[in-house]
Amino acid sequence: MNRTVIPIANVAQAPSRQRRREGGKGRRVEPQALDEVRKLLGSASRARDQLIEHLHKLQDRFGHLSARHLAALAREMGLAQTEVFEVASFYHHFDIVKEGEAVPPALTVRVCDGLACEMAGAQELLQRLPALLGSDVRVLAAPCIGRCEQAPAAVVGQHPVPTADVGAVVDAVRDGRTRHMPEGFIDLQAYKDEGGYALLKTCIAGELDVDDVIKALEGSGLRGLGGAGFPTGRKWRIVRGEAAPRLMAVNLDEGEPGTFKDRVYLERDPHRFIEGMLIAAWAVGIAKIYLYLRDEYHGCRAMLEAELAKLRIRPPYPGMPEIELRRGAGAYICGEESAMIESIEGKRGMPRLRPPYVAQVGLFGRPTLEHNFETLYWVRDILEKGGDWFAGHGRHGRTGLRSFSVSGRVKEPGVKLAPAGITIRELIDEYCGGMADGHQFYAYLPGGASGGILPAHLGDIPLDFDTLQPYGCFIGSAAVMVLSDQDTAVGAARNLMRFFHHESCGQCTPCRNGTAKASALIEQPKWDLELLADLSQVMRDASICGLGQAAPNPVDCVVKYFPQELE
């Protein structure tokens, strides 16, 4: 047996090394910093899953995250400093300032450089604003902020500036103007006056049977509207069959470039979604609900907090499940259901390997019903009007309704509620007022950044689940981006791959290195098509989640459908 023998001369030093280890690793906690953290957190829970919420409190209060405060927060929450730092450094909206580094300016202006905003002139804003705003304001390029119909869009602090030009941003910085909820907002009282929550009370009173409710959803053909398209009624049955307690996680992160439908509906009629959510909780037997809202939706967050507070004071029925609103921190990957769950638990938003699936082992190890916002938004209408009402819409052999987020070169961008199966030509002509003046239809993205790019001559494909896959595309969350003869598919692919490279969580090598390599390759004047094809196949086959698997779609579509641009 081998033993480590400590020389006699070193015996006296060994206890000293042990004592140093017992003193704890990492930065020493400053009493003043610990006092500041304790005062800021007040009576809030110090549970591990509250870490991101507490990091937001520090960022909001001090404008950045200092090493001294991170160390104090770790002590207060009983965590290792490395645990706190690895979470804080994962999310784009946390500004970590190390010792010796300059503190960022008190105000940050983020200019979206997503595809729709880039087409609308975002680069000019990014070039001109720093000189006009001076050193007291930081100007950053930001990935899609969910306002593609308002392109180019900027955010001053936490307040959006739609259809921004230089003057509007400068005015917003100087005047501190904020954006209020749009006209027509329906608050709790207005919603109740229109019959809101009556359906939920009917369910709670036992006048509707759970099986009948689920059958109505199955008959409607309602599928998950966040991108995956899993049948809603079937999902309810699966989770309902798992052991209690069961939890619910609602995805309001909406980070797919080109997607903004959830924000538009939330800004106008939040209680329609909440009622659908509570009906789902009743049907499945949910003990607690977590809402995960993207950080860029500051106005929605303030509104939702206020409306939920009203609902807690006057709940529609006794024993309503607790609803907890969680705040994202700028990570596209958290739109993936298991990454979102990791983030709600206070961790880095990295997708989980499956199986097990979240319906079986989700939040805090419990069976979890995960839904997109819009899916729940339609529950009330379907149950009141019948599954046949929803299924009765549709074109070209498809059924149901779709909320298309339309942006790009059309006269009237926005959320368009249209029949499933409508073609892009019909959508542009009948719902968007045609192409913008001076632009001719050239190409389109049927499903946001991940859904691929198709040429205008393929403009008669029904837009729905399962219709676009033969063309190497998919509808996803129905984010339609329209390109004109003044754009190129190559330019769009470059923009999208830069986004994927920026947003890859880095967990798996095929996605982490693949997005970086693909982005570098397509920036070249001449593309290495053989290498890109190999890279695409590896990313599709070996990436853990949908980001890496779908990231090659725009590039593959350019090679297949736009060869003239590569000559």
Side-chain angles (χ1 to χ4, degrees), residues 408-412 432-440 484-486:
R409 308 297 193 180
V410 295
K411 283 184 179 178
E412 301 169 8
C432 302
M435 294 292 293
D437 292 339
H439 293 266
Q440 293 185 357
S484 78
D485 55 346
Q486 298 184 25

Side-chain angles (χ1 to χ4, degrees), residues 60-297:
D60 292 345
R61 170 65 179 82
F62 298 102
H64 63 280
L65 300 176
S66 65
R68 57 194 291 272
H69 283 139
L70 291 176
L73 181 62
R75 168 73 64 81
E76 185 66 9
M77 296 187 70
L79 300 173
Q81 291 184 27
T82 53
E83 289 181 273
V84 174
F85 184 84
E86 73 174 6
V87 172
S89 60
F90 180 84
Y91 295 93
H92 302 313
H93 290 184
F94 292 137
D95 294 317
I96 300 176
V97 177
K98 301 176 183 177
E99 283 191 71
E101 292 183 342
V103 173
L107 183 63
T108 296
V109 173
R110 287 183 166 86
V111 177
C112 177
D113 66 352
L115 180 56
C117 289
E118 183 177 83
M119 290 193 295
Q123 291 305 319
E124 181 184 0
L125 289 174
L126 287 166
Q127 291 168 8
R128 295 182 59 190
L129 284 173
L132 293 171
L133 296 176
S135 59
D136 293 336
V137 179
R138 180 175 57 165
V139 179
L140 299 177
C144 185
I145 60 174
R147 296 184 178 275
C148 312
E149 87 282 24
Q150 301 169 357
V155 180
V156 175
Q158 292 184 323
H159 305 295
V161 182
T163 54
D165 57 24
V166 170
V169 175
V170 171
D171 287 344
V173 169
R174 291 174 178 169
D175 302 341
R177 289 185 297 194
T178 62
R179 182 177 182 273
H180 300 285
M181 285 296 103
E183 293 182 9
F185 171 69
I186 303 172
D187 65 6
L188 176 59
Q189 189 56 55
Y191 184 73
K192 286 183 174 180
D193 291 343
E194 296 178 356
Y197 292 109
L199 177 63
L200 173 63
K201 292 177 181 178
T202 300
C203 294
I204 299 299
E207 297 176 31
L208 284 178
D209 182 75
V210 171
D211 282 335
D212 290 339
V213 167
I214 294 178
K215 285 178 182 176
L217 291 174
E218 290 172 335
S220 72
L222 180 66
R223 296 170 64 169
L225 297 172
F230 194 86
T232 302
R234 191 193 308 172
K235 181 181 285 190
W236 288 20
R237 286 193 189 278
I238 291 171
V239 180
R240 187 168 180 249
E242 297 293 327
R246 309 173 198 94
L247 304 175
M248 184 190 296
V250 181
N251 187 345
L252 276 157
D253 193 57
E254 197 173 41
E256 179 74 16
T259 307
F260 48 88
K261 61 183 177 60
D262 294 350
R263 189 204 85 238
V264 170
Y265 286 140
L266 180 60
E267 286 178 334
R268 288 161 174 77
D269 198 0
H271 288 280
R272 186 171 300 272
F273 146 71
I274 295 172
E275 183 169 11
M277 178 181 71
L278 291 173
I279 290 171
W282 159 78
V284 178
I286 297 298
K288 186 173 179 179
I289 301 168
Y290 292 83
L291 307 182
Y292 190 85
L293 180 66
R294 71 179 300 181
D295 194 31
E296 291 88 344
Y297 291 172

Side-chain angles (χ1 to χ4, degrees), residues 545-563:
C545 81
L547 191 157
Q549 295 163 10
N553 282 345
V555 176
D556 290 350
C557 285
V558 169
V559 174
K560 184 175 181 179
Y561 297 116
F562 302 90

